[in-house]
């Protein structure tokens, strides 16, 4: 990696960005918006920081950093996104936490690891659109489920007819949401098909038993078409399917556990994929049966999710569709 005059550590949240230069002990908090970015430019100028000769280090949050990264790309500012868990583990045991302190720690991490860091690629606008559509689709699905639950409860509790006002409006809302969901899904597919590489990876993902369209869309969106994670293990850590050892010396020995920083939405979506794979994929079925002899079902499900992630990354890397060639031994 080329030399940079200044390394800026950035702690990202939904509404604000805490930005620090650990070497100079400088810090600023700005809004995570165009207005805030203008303040940042003035701050850099007043502190004689040439942004084009600076490197921004920030955590991969899976969304909140996108607006800032668009600003960085537009102003030719180099940036590197790092897994939050990787930064946390590199610091060892630390005491105290706030956004300002975190931004300094991120900056220090960048200064220490600068020789092995690789610049992150510019954001793909299609990926951003897919993320936004998936987020809105999720909201519509939840709203639809809420209306369905209300209709069922009202029919059961009050035994009303279809002409009941609540039933009538609720039914209409359910149908409307179904139409909107179909419209959003059609646009997602169109965006994927417009990008040859993304469409190829989408076809690879959906060739895997258990991985349906929604899981494929979410995987493409959160891995940014397999460009934001170096390997399957990094993504598995982000999703939260790899437990880590919890121990300190000889006195503290806790159970292995996944990080609380994991993306629970992705993990939940993979649950159904794992259950389907256990039923319909002979190799995974045998694998799960073997593990169930010594592990709880929830742990086995976690193992299957990791196996699916490994399979996704491996096939995408090779550019090959999944082909079932497993024969169960009688």
């Amino acid at each position: 990696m080329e030399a940079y005059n200044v390394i800026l550590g950035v702690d990202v949240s939904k509404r604000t960005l805490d930005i620090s230069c650990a070497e100079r002990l400088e810090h600023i908090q700005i809004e995570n918006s165009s207005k805030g970015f203008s303040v940042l430019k003035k701050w850099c100028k007043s502190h004689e920081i040439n942004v084009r000769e600076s490197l921004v280090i920030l955590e991969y949050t899976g969304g909140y950093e996108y607006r800032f990264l668009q600003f960085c790309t537009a102003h030719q500012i180099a940036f590197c996104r790092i897994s939050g868990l990787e930064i946390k583990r590199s610091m060892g045991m630390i005491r105290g936490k706030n956004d300002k302190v975190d931004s300094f720690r991120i900056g220090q991490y960048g200064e220490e690891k600068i020789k092995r860091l690789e610049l992150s690629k510019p954001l793909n606008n299609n990926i951003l659109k897919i993320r936004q559509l998936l987020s809105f689709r999720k909201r519509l699905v939840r709203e639809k489920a809420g209306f369905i639950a209300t209709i069922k409860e009202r029919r059961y509790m009050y035994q009303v007819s279809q002409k009941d006002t609540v039933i009538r409006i609720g039914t209409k809302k359910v149908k409307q949401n179904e139409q909107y969901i179909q419209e959003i899904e059609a646009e997602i597919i169109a965006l994927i098909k417009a990008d040859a590489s993304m469409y190829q990876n989408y076809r690879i993902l959906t060739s895997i038993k258990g991985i349906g369209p929604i899981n494929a869309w979410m995987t493409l969106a959160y891995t940014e078409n397999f460009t934001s994670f170096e390997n399957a293990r990094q993504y598995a850590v982000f999703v939260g399917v790899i437990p880590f050892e919890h121990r300190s010396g000889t006195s503290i020995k806790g159970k292995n556990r996944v990080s609380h920083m994991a993306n629970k939405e992705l993990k939940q979506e993979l649950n159904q994929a794992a259950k389907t794979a256990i039923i319909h994929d002979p190799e995974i079925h045998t694998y799960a049966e073997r593990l169930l002899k010594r592990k709880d079902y929830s742990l086995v499900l976690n193992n299957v999710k990791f196996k699916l992630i490994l399979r996704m990354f491996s096939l995408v890397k090779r550019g090959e569709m999944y082909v079932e060639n497993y024969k169960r031994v009688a």
Side-chain angles (χ1 to χ4, degrees), residues 7-58:
I7 293 178
L8 298 174
V10 181
D11 184 76
V12 181
S13 66
K14 185 176 182 179
R15 299 187 182 278
T16 61
L17 300 173
D18 280 82
I19 304 174
S20 296
C21 176
E23 186 179 19
R24 301 186 186 184
L25 299 178
E26 299 287 355
H27 167 265
I28 185 174
Q29 184 183 82
I30 62 172
E31 292 180 16
N32 191 358
S33 65
S34 299
K35 180 181 178 181
F37 304 153
S38 296
V39 172
L40 174 62
K41 287 193 290 184
K42 293 177 182 177
W43 181 81
C44 288
K45 188 174 181 179
S46 67
H47 287 76
E48 299 182 345
I49 296 175
N50 186 337
V51 292
R52 294 190 179 183
E53 296 176 359
S54 303
L55 175 64
V56 168
I57 307 291
L58 68 166

Side-chain angles (χ1 to χ4, degrees), residues 201-208 211 216 219-220 226 312 316:
N201 289 341
Y202 171 71
R203 293 177 63 241
I204 291 172
L205 293 179
T206 51
S207 72
I208 301 171
I211 304 298
T219 303
L220 289 172
F226 292 86
M312 288 190 286
V316 166

